[in-house]
Amino acid sequence: MTDYASKATDLDHLQAQTLALSLQLMREPSVTPTDLNCQNILAERLNHLGFDCEFLYFGEKGATGREAEVKNLWAIRQGRGQAQAPVLCFAGHTDVVPTGDVSQWTYPPFEPTIKDGILYGRGAADMKTAIAAFTVAVENFVAHHPNHHGSIAFLITADEEGPSINGTVKVVETLQSRNQPITYCLIGEPSSTHSLGDIIKNGRRGSLGAVVTVTGKQGHVAYPHLAVNPIHYALPALSELCSQTWDNGNAYFPATTLQISNLHAGTGANNVIPATLSAEFNFRFSTETNDEKLKATTHAIFDKHFQDGAASYHIDWKLSGNPFLTPQGKLVSACQSAIKAVTGTDTQLSTTGGTSDGRFIATLNVENKSPEVVELGVRNATIHQIDECVAVEDLGKLAAIYEQILQNLLLS
């Protein structure tokens, strides 16, 4: 094990390499679902290391929005003279969220700028610096260990920040059809909270969205007996949904929650009972339940409040992803020990936050085995914000952590 904590020269070297590649990637205005030249830059470097690189395109060429063609990179390198397994895959996304009002940025979002040891620019935290870090880590690892055990892979998409329909999910389907396994998957999402490596995500909650439309009968507010108010019918049912205990969570997951995010009703006039109400809500759910149970309970609650048949309801459901979990095992231990070696931090496991592409990768199943999946990256305090930024000193440390994980998993 390399003691990076006491080797400032090694960290300085990794920092310089990672920073240079980060700047190159961040100068590409790759707003989702556009990759521009990012994956070409990565593929060129990986080709020099003996990776077989393949671009996978999904979606409609020339289209815009959800059906736009998306570029994805799958690259794999097998250790010379070794078996293919285990396969350690680094996963990430080159697309970034829109900048918002550019005039509000201190520095132009696609002209990365360093000020007082902080790197500013879109993608600084989410997550071009992580992609740079694990690319540099692999370059250094292969240079020192060209005959490593197993295989190293990269799964890079440009459709993570958007609808996520032509990105990682489609690549995983392709890998499944080829019976291509992934043993360990390390996603470079910004997982850290207060300091680099203090938190790693070993799972994520499921996400189930719903839009309920309640239909009554429009009428004059002075003659309610001639109308059916959908708001009056919907509110008791929605109130019961909000007070429902769905589960109590478990050792890895907090309790399942429901949040109403949008509520629409009314004609704009204060003397008209509207004909319809629309409410949008979302479940973030643990492994203690599933989408079918949540749907059944929701329908039972609405059925109870709509028994007289005067008003009706309809629910459109969208399952964005099921929960996934990687318990304590080889990948989690490899990450924890690597973080400790580089930063001295005792990392904590977490499953909080939104969804990630880990929900797709965790579904890959080859010979009844699915990947262990962990998210490990820089601090997430400024992701999606104006003046997104990251500490430059964390870049070399993150590359060192990734390199140590490679050693932990592919040299034993």
Side-chain angles (χ1 to χ4, degrees):
M1 179 179 291
T2 304
D3 183 12
Y4 284 104
S6 62
K7 292 191 174 183
T9 302
D10 288 345
L11 283 175
D12 288 345
H13 177 65
L14 289 173
Q15 179 176 302
Q17 290 179 307
T18 305
L19 177 60
L21 180 53
S22 296
L23 295 175
Q24 191 177 7
L25 295 174
M26 289 172 63
R27 291 188 183 108
E28 298 287 330
S30 54
V31 176
T32 189
T34 305
D35 170 75
L36 297 181
N37 199 43
C38 294
Q39 293 177 30
N40 292 338
I41 293 169
L42 299 174
E44 182 178 357
R45 296 178 74 131
L46 295 176
N47 276 324
H48 288 304
L49 298 177
F51 277 79
D52 294 321
C53 297
E54 177 183 9
F55 293 115
L56 299 170
Y57 297 88
F58 303 103
E60 183 178 343
K61 190 172 184 179
T64 58
R66 293 179 62 87
E67 294 304 320
E69 185 178 50
V70 171
K71 183 178 182 180
N72 304 277
L73 172 64
W74 169 254
I76 189 165
R77 181 190 194 275
Q78 185 172 324
R80 300 298 179 257
Q82 305 292 338
Q84 183 188 47
V87 180
L88 172 56
C89 177
F90 291 93
H93 59 90
T94 53
D95 60 320
V96 296
V97 296
T99 61
D101 186 354
V102 175
S103 68
Q104 297 299 308
W105 285 69
T106 304
Y107 310 102
F110 294 112
E111 296 177 18
T113 303
I114 299 172
K115 178 70 173 178
D116 297 328
I118 303 297
L119 171 62
Y120 294 88
R122 181 58 87 219
D126 191 11
M127 53 166 283
K128 289 183 176 179
T129 53
I131 291 176
F134 55 59
T135 302
V136 168
V138 168
E139 288 174 335
N140 280 270
F141 176 77
V142 170
H144 290 96
H145 309 284
N147 297 317
H148 58 81
H149 295 290
S151 304
I152 306 172
F154 280 62
L155 195 169
I156 308 295
T157 186
D159 182 33
E160 197 274 348
E161 296 290 8
S164 301
I165 60 174
N166 290 315
T168 299
V169 62
K170 294 288 182 64
V171 178
V172 170
E173 290 173 1
T174 301
L175 298 180
Q176 185 69 60
S177 69
R178 298 175 180 177
N179 288 319
Q180 168 63 59
I182 294 175
T183 314
Y184 311 112
C185 183
L186 190 57
I187 304 175
E189 289 288 353
S191 62
S192 303
T193 301
H194 302 294
S195 62
L196 181 67
D198 62 346
I199 299 289
I200 60 176
K201 301 293 179 72
N202 64 320
R204 292 278 192 162
R205 295 173 295 174
S207 176
L208 176 65
V211 178
V212 58
T213 301
V214 176
T215 302
K217 182 180 178 181
Q218 184 173 315
H220 197 293
V221 296
Y223 303 95
H225 60 287
L226 299 178
V228 177
N229 194 324
I231 300 174
H232 291 189
Y233 270 84
L235 290 182
L238 293 173
S239 178
E240 185 170 344
L241 282 180
C242 293
S243 63
Q244 177 77 15
T245 298
W246 303 95
D247 60 51
N248 295 311
N250 53 38
Y252 292 101
F253 288 92
T256 294
T257 61
L258 174 143
Q259 290 294 312
I260 298 173
S261 55
N262 288 288
L263 196 63
H264 302 284
T267 64
N270 65 3
N271 61 349
V272 179
I273 294 171
T276 61
L277 172 143
S278 174
E280 187 171 1
F281 53 93
N282 179 270
F283 292 97
R284 293 302 165 103
F285 61 100
S286 76
T287 50
E288 293 295 304
T289 188
N290 58 53
D291 62 305
E292 293 303 323
K293 291 180 181 178
L294 296 174
K295 291 177 183 178
T297 303
T298 300
H299 279 285
I301 290 172
F302 269 88
D303 289 344
K304 181 173 64 175
H305 292 280
F306 285 73
Q307 289 182 9
D308 64 10
S312 62
Y313 78 91
H314 174 77
I315 303 179
D316 291 311
W317 297 97
K318 181 183 178 182
L319 178 65
S320 297
N322 283 304
F324 70 91
L325 177 68
T326 296
Q328 190 79 39
K330 287 187 177 180
L331 180 56
V332 169
S333 295
C335 292
Q336 289 174 321
S337 64
I339 292 166
K340 183 71 172 179
V342 175
T343 69
T345 299
D346 293 315
T347 192
Q348 301 296 313
L349 303 181
S350 173
T351 59
T352 59
T355 59
S356 76
D357 277 357
R359 69 191 189 274
F360 304 128
I361 297 168
T363 66
L364 182 65
N365 189 299
V366 178
E367 297 181 355
N368 294 319
K369 293 182 180 179
S370 295
E372 296 180 26
V373 181
V374 163
E375 299 172 26
L376 166 58
V378 297
R379 292 182 62 213
N380 55 26
T382 62
I383 59 174
H384 294 201
Q385 295 183 16
I386 289 172
D387 285 346
E388 179 182 347
C389 61
V390 67
V392 173
E393 68 174 357
D394 283 348
L395 303 186
K397 293 178 182 178
L398 184 59
I401 290 170
Y402 289 153
E403 186 176 354
Q404 188 63 64
I405 292 169
L406 283 158
Q407 293 183 33
N408 293 345
L409 294 173
L410 299 186
L411 294 184
S412 57

